[in-house]
């Protein structure tokens, strides 16, 4: 029974309901905290099989909820190879028509090397909560990420890691299953976004 097999391999982490849309996406930088929370709960329940497995998690893939896994990830991980200690995170490059350089819907993270970046991202979201929440010109978590990303080295995931359904060529020509992951995301049109201007002008955080 496939469902029973999957159920035995999946651990769910219960969290309080987010107070707003920003609080929901702000869970991204907390991914290792949530894993540690689960580990503590399993330790308390003496669940030695799952605890042993979680103790060995040094790296993990974070996927947005609107992601589909098309193929086993072994080949992709082989392309990445051994983690480069200079990298804070491995991300797919954004599409040419967006205002950011990287897409955080798919993240390969390392327990040690990603922590400083994740902590800076968390602080950016918390310190600018009201500002970010009330601006609608860019994805809220992405807005905060791009303001801290220049302080860290972002390494690209290999070509073919992610396809975006919003792209014309992916949807109508190449197909949505040509990559390891498919991101069922809405299009991010460049018009109306002033995000990169705020970054280049180095005028601090502001919503346009």
């Amino acid at each position: 029974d496939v469902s029973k097999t999957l159920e035995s391999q999946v651990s769910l982490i219960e969290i309080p309901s987010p107070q707003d849309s920003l609080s929901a996406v702000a869970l991204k930088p907390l991914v290792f905290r949530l894993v540690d929370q689960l580990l503590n709960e399993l330790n308390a329940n003496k669940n030695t099989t799952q605890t042993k497995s979680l103790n060995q998690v040094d790296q993990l893939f974070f996927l947005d909820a609107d992601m589909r896994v098309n193929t086993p990830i072994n080949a992709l991980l082989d392309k990445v190879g051994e983690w480069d200690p200079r990298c804070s995170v491995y991300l797919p490059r954004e599409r040419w028509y967006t205002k950011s350089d990287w897409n955080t819907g798919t993240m390969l993270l390392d327990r040690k090397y990603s922590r400083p970046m994740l902590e800076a991202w968390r602080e950016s979201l918390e310190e600018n909560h009201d500002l970010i929440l009330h601006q609608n010109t860019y994805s809220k978590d992405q807005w905060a990420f791009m303001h801290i990303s220049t302080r860290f080295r972002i390494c690209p995931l290999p070509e073919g890691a992610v396809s975006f359904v919003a792209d014309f060529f992916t949807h109508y020509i190449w197909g949505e299953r040509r990559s390891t992951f498919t991101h069922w995301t809405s299009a991010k049109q460049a018009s109306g976004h002033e995000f990169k201007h705020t970054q280049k002008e180095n005028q601090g955080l502001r919503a346009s």
Side-chain angles (χ1 to χ4, degrees):
D1 189 335
V2 175
S3 62
K4 290 183 179 179
T5 301
L6 290 175
E7 184 178 352
S8 67
Q9 297 176 350
V10 172
S11 297
L12 299 179
I13 305 174
E14 293 188 18
I15 59 172
S17 298
Q19 63 180 2
D20 51 46
S21 60
L22 179 58
S23 297
V25 296
L27 292 171
K28 280 186 177 183
L30 302 179
V31 59
F32 277 112
R33 290 192 185 186
L34 295 173
V35 170
D36 290 341
Q37 172 187 322
L38 176 60
L39 179 59
N40 291 333
E41 293 175 358
L42 293 175
N43 276 326
N45 294 330
K46 308 297 183 183
N47 192 326
T48 56
T49 301
Q50 287 183 296
T51 300
K52 181 179 179 181
S53 175
L54 282 174
N55 270 329
Q56 297 172 348
V57 175
D58 295 319
Q59 297 168 11
L60 58 83
F61 259 115
F62 174 93
L63 302 177
D64 273 358
D66 59 339
M67 302 288 297
R68 181 177 65 195
V69 182
N70 298 316
T71 63
I73 67 173
N74 306 60
L76 178 59
L77 291 174
D78 288 342
K79 289 181 181 179
V80 174
E82 186 176 350
W83 189 281
D84 185 339
R86 296 171 297 176
C87 300
S88 294
V89 61
Y90 286 84
L91 298 175
R93 294 191 181 278
E94 262 291 13
R95 292 146 287 172
W96 63 269
Y97 54 82
T98 69
K99 299 299 286 185
S100 58
D101 298 317
W102 305 97
N103 187 288
T104 59
T106 308
M107 301 186 290
L108 179 57
L109 300 164
D110 182 272
R111 180 177 288 274
K112 175 182 178 182
Y113 298 112
S114 300
R115 277 191 184 273
M117 181 272 296
L118 291 172
E119 185 64 17
W121 192 8
R122 180 194 65 78
E123 291 176 355
S124 178
L125 284 163
E126 288 186 358
E127 293 172 359
N128 301 280
H129 176 275
D130 292 344
L131 175 65
I132 299 172
L133 185 63
H134 293 101
Q135 61 96 12
N136 296 311
T137 57
Y138 204 76
S139 302
K140 297 176 173 62
D141 58 312
Q142 191 84 357
W143 188 90
F145 177 80
M146 291 305 294
H147 277 88
I148 61 96
S149 63
T150 55
R151 293 154 49 187
F152 303 94
R153 179 166 181 172
I154 313 297
C155 293
L157 283 171
E159 289 293 326
V162 182
S163 295
F164 298 92
V165 174
D167 288 338
F168 175 87
F169 287 102
T170 294
H171 190 69
Y172 293 102
I173 299 176
W174 296 324
E176 298 155 1
R177 296 180 180 269
R178 68 187 180 95
S179 57
T180 305
F181 307 111
T182 299
H183 200 161
W184 292 78
T185 184
S186 59
K188 295 179 179 178
Q189 299 298 332
S191 60
H193 295 326
E194 296 296 330
F195 177 80
K196 280 192 174 178
H197 296 295
T198 67
Q199 190 177 35
K200 289 178 180 179
E201 294 168 6
N202 195 25
Q203 294 180 348
L205 293 174
R206 63 179 176 87
S208 302

